[in-house]
Amino acid sequence: MKRLIIIISALFLATPLWSLQGDGSLGNPFQIDDLLDFLTFRDTVNSGYYTACAELNSDIDLKDICYQDSVTGEQYHWFAIAGFGDGTSYQGRFDGKGHIIYNLYVNSHVECYRGVFGNIKDAIILNLGVENAYIIAGYNIGGITGTATNSVISNCFVTGHLEGYFLGGIAGMADNCTIANCYCDCYVDGNYPGYVLGHNINTTLSNSFFNQDVECSAVVHDAVGLNEESMYNGNLANKLNDYILLYGGDSLQSWCHSREAKSLPSYHCPSGNMEIASELENLYIQDKSLYFSLKREMDIQIYDLSGRLYISQKFPSGKHRITTLPKGNYILLGRRFMIGD
């Protein structure tokens, strides 16, 4: 099965064989629902549609197409979106919608411009996680992208192991970019390494964090180091959500953290989606009480922004009032609200 997917992927580089929903425009982005869609999107971009926009609708596991064969020792490396290193760049908008790309694998010192993307320019990459990345390569290496120019990367995270030249957890090199509300929990080592960003040219890092307890040779730039406890205990999730509340974002999503198990935060909606949220009407706060109306009987969960569950019960249709929530920021059916003093 692994060999079959690899062969199909190679064929896509010449002629895409699979049809994606959408047309790749900003108003009608490609819809990526599974691994085959993701490979088709990559190969469509690499065939020349560099401005293609896309939305990721599920997690993607790359373990079947990039890996080291445990029997033969053969290496199968991830080939990045716009990863040719010939001056071409991805120039679209890619919304991960809180989903995660797992097991990105490159283990070759001659491979360059490696990450999910190789090179981006005038692009927007947002709401994307990359977990368990393993990249040992040449130069221009990042979990999200090898290089970035005039681009925005926001609400993204990367975990894994990276080695090479001009490399960073999020981006290996960034020129005139904005990297905002991101974090990395990565071992990063080599020449010009950075916890979040490797080589910085006029690039702003805002509210971006890294695990300072990971011992490696990386530089900080404007990122903020947190100890491992702060990364895993909900403190990091709170910092990321505070930024969203201050500067705005998708009202149906937030950074969430499981208090029941040691975990890093992920960016998603913990309590519903767009369709469920449409059942909610007239949400407002008055005198430290939450008021809302439901179109139908529903099971309701209310979380704080670190993922702690405060209320879980069935409510009938109609109007409701809740007076038991302490001061803080919460999510109800994907809608954020705040109980103040």
Side-chain angles (χ1 to χ4, degrees):
M1 180 63 178
K2 291 181 177 180
R3 293 296 185 94
L4 176 61
I5 294 177
I6 293 166
I7 292 170
I8 291 174
S9 178
L11 289 173
F12 282 159
L13 287 172
T15 305
L17 302 177
W18 190 260
S19 178
L20 291 167
Q21 294 184 28
D23 60 16
S25 65
L26 186 60
N28 188 23
F30 288 133
Q31 300 300 305
I32 300 173
D33 296 325
D34 54 27
L35 175 59
L36 186 55
D37 283 349
F38 186 60
L39 296 176
T40 303
F41 170 72
R42 178 196 64 181
D43 299 332
T44 299
V45 172
N46 289 350
S47 295
Y49 192 178
Y50 295 112
T51 61
C53 300
E55 294 180 346
L56 188 59
N57 298 319
S58 67
D59 295 342
I60 302 295
D61 195 335
L62 299 178
K63 66 181 180 181
D64 286 335
I65 66 162
C66 54
Y67 63 99
Q68 179 175 348
D69 191 295
S70 60
V71 177
T72 67
E74 290 183 87
Q75 306 273 351
Y76 299 93
H77 311 295
W78 167 249
F79 192 86
I81 302 166
F84 294 110
D86 59 357
T88 57
S89 305
Y90 177 69
Q91 301 168 41
R93 183 182 188 275
F94 187 93
D95 187 351
K97 297 174 66 176
H99 294 292
I100 298 170
I101 296 174
Y102 294 98
N103 299 314
L104 190 157
Y105 179 86
V106 178
N107 188 8
S108 169
H109 290 288
V110 300
E111 300 278 341
C112 300
Y113 295 91
R114 290 296 174 261
V116 175
F117 298 84
N119 189 33
I120 66 173
K121 181 179 180 181
D122 302 319
I124 298 174
I125 312 296
L126 68 163
N127 310 333
L128 179 64
V130 178
E131 283 195 15
N132 196 36
Y134 185 87
I135 308 176
I136 297 178
Y139 56 86
N140 293 336
I141 302 161
I144 299 295
T145 185
T147 69
T149 305
N150 301 329
S151 297
V152 174
I153 302 172
S154 66
N155 284 319
C156 294
F157 73 90
V158 177
T159 71
H161 180 113
L162 293 83
E163 295 182 40
Y165 299 85
F166 297 106
L167 73 158
I170 295 291
M173 186 279 289
D175 183 355
N176 195 35
C177 294
T178 296
I179 298 175
N181 222 41
C182 298
Y183 77 83
C184 297
D185 187 6
C186 299
Y187 176 85
V188 184
D189 194 20
N191 291 344
Y192 300 98
Y195 283 103
V196 174
L197 170 61
H199 187 45
N200 183 345
I201 306 173
N202 299 320
T203 289
T204 301
L205 276 72
S206 300
N207 208 61
S208 293
F209 304 90
F210 64 91
N211 186 346
Q212 67 185 22
D213 290 340
V214 176
E215 294 185 7
C216 52
S217 63
V219 297
V220 172
H221 292 306
D222 295 326
V224 177
L226 300 176
N227 61 34
E228 188 158 314
E229 180 181 0
S230 291
M231 298 283 290
Y232 282 86
N233 67 7
N235 184 38
L236 173 57
N238 288 336
K239 291 178 181 296
L240 296 167
N241 280 315
D242 286 346
Y243 185 89
I244 293 174
L245 290 171
L246 184 62
Y247 293 103
D250 188 338
S251 63
L252 290 173
Q253 300 203 39
S254 68
W255 289 91
C256 297
H257 160 263
S258 171
R259 291 179 180 268
E260 287 71 33
K262 180 181 178 182
S263 68
L264 290 164
S266 57
Y267 188 67
H268 68 286
C269 175
S271 59
N273 53 35
M274 187 78 72
E275 290 72 27
I276 295 176
S278 68
E279 304 292 337
L280 179 66
E281 296 181 320
N282 302 322
L283 185 151
Y284 65 95
I285 308 299
Q286 183 175 322
D287 298 328
K288 301 181 184 179
S289 297
L290 168 66
Y291 294 84
F292 63 95
S293 297
L294 294 174
K295 294 180 180 179
R296 60 181 175 87
E297 182 180 73
M298 295 184 66
D299 290 320
I300 294 297
Q301 292 82 39
I302 297 179
Y303 296 80
D304 70 11
L305 292 190
S306 66
R308 180 180 178 183
L309 180 63
Y310 277 82
I311 292 175
S312 179
Q313 68 183 75
K314 187 181 291 289
F315 285 81
S317 61
K319 298 179 180 179
H320 302 281
R321 178 190 180 197
I322 295 177
T323 62
T324 56
L325 293 171
K327 176 183 176 181
N329 294 295
Y330 301 90
I331 298 174
L332 167 61
L333 295 178
R335 294 275 297 278
R336 283 196 296 269
F337 63 92
M338 181 177 68
I339 301 293
D341 294 322

